[in-house]
Amino acid sequence: MSENKLAGQFFDAAIALLRRVRDEEDERIAAAGAALADTVADGGRLFVFGAGHSSLAAQDVVYRAGGLALMNLLAVPGVVGIDVMPATLGSALERVDGLAGAVLDTSPAQPGDALIVISLSGRNSLPVEMAMNARALGLKVIGITSLAYAEHTRSRHVSGTFLKDHCDIVIDTKIGTGDAELSADGIAAPFGPASTVVGSAVVQAVVATAAGELAARGIDPPMLRSGNVDGGHEWNGRVLSEYGDRIFFRH
């Protein structure tokens, strides 16, 4: 089997997943976008969290050209990105009880804000407690996760619950357990993870929906422009200055 054929199979699998999410999760994506718009209109702040590779989708909407300036990364040391050494430490930290509470207690998050929690499996202590504690603090919580994991795996949180159990809105990414879309002769393990492609598309769709909702209410959404086009830095400077009390990604 040629590499090009495998590449085509991966694209086909990713496209099929994106179509499923588009068609089957439309109402929940619309609800999530409306929830973000409500938060912005009411003067609240927006946060997003993901651990491990799920953090890639979270980072994709923070300080992003074409994105909402109010999206803030809720960072947990050691689990955002893969630059921590050893790499396995990041996975271990996702299973530590109490870490999410410590992060929220020292974060700017407050009642009336909104938090998107992205976790493929939704089974580890960190995303479960992040959602649980955020709701207890009075935040609106949106979960982006694969519901298949809740059906076919066990929770690693002491409560036995998953991320989906502690969210106001849950969007199912449709990713199968194991996050590997391909198999081939001569390759012992399944491969071709699609969760980053789908997760990023979902969170971008939610943000786009929020921007549209704000515009429909007569509110000009604070969008960022690319710094690589003329006037981009000046535009962004004005936005960051105007909304500085709701943006926490620069000191």
Side-chain angles (χ1 to χ4, degrees):
M1 184 175 292
S2 71
E3 291 181 355
N4 284 340
K5 187 172 183 179
L6 285 174
Q9 289 179 356
F10 178 78
F11 280 117
D12 289 343
I15 291 168
L17 285 165
L18 290 168
R19 283 176 171 159
R20 280 193 65 197
V21 173
R22 179 196 64 190
D23 297 340
E24 298 174 20
E25 299 299 306
D26 180 65
E27 290 185 8
R28 283 164 287 281
I29 290 172
L36 296 191
D38 289 342
T39 303
V40 173
D42 292 340
R45 293 83 60 80
L46 308 177
F47 296 90
V48 59
F49 166 77
H53 284 91
S54 291
S55 73
L56 297 175
Q59 294 176 61
D60 195 40
V61 291
V62 176
Y63 192 49
R64 180 61 190 261
L68 270 174
L70 303 186
M71 294 300 306
N72 298 283
L73 185 68
L74 191 58
V76 178
V79 304
V80 178
I82 56 173
D83 56 346
V84 61
M85 293 295 176
T88 51
L89 176 60
S91 297
L93 288 172
E94 291 185 58
R95 305 176 191 180
V96 174
D97 294 333
L99 183 56
V103 169
L104 278 170
D105 288 345
T106 56
S107 78
Q110 62 186 26
D113 293 344
L115 170 64
I116 299 174
V117 180
I118 305 169
S119 174
L120 172 61
S121 71
R123 68 187 297 223
N124 289 312
S125 292
L126 187 54
V128 171
E129 290 186 356
M130 190 67 75
M132 183 187 300
N133 291 0
R135 285 183 88 187
L137 280 173
L139 277 72
K140 178 79 94 175
V141 178
I142 299 162
I144 299 176
T145 187
S146 166
L147 296 183
Y149 279 83
E151 297 177 9
H152 302 294
T153 69
R154 291 183 179 180
S155 169
R156 290 186 174 128
H157 188 253
V158 64
S159 67
T161 60
F162 286 77
L163 168 62
K164 71 177 183 65
D165 300 312
H166 305 284
C167 298
D168 298 287
I169 301 165
V170 177
I171 301 171
D172 183 9
T173 61
K174 315 297 180 181
I175 301 294
T177 53
D179 192 17
E181 297 298 320
L182 304 179
S183 60
D185 293 339
I187 304 176
F191 58 102
S195 61
T196 303
V197 173
V198 177
S200 290
V202 169
V203 73
Q204 289 289 2
V206 170
V207 171
T209 302
E213 278 280 335
L214 288 167
R217 301 178 193 186
I219 301 171
D220 185 17
M223 313 303 293
L224 295 173
R225 292 189 173 186
S226 171
N228 295 314
V229 299
D230 292 342
H233 284 301
E234 291 76 15
W235 172 281
N236 292 341
R238 289 192 297 270
V239 172
L240 296 178
S241 177
E242 182 177 353
Y243 292 92
D245 60 334
R246 298 157 76 179
I247 298 172
F248 307 101
F249 46 74
R250 69 175 188 171
H251 299 286

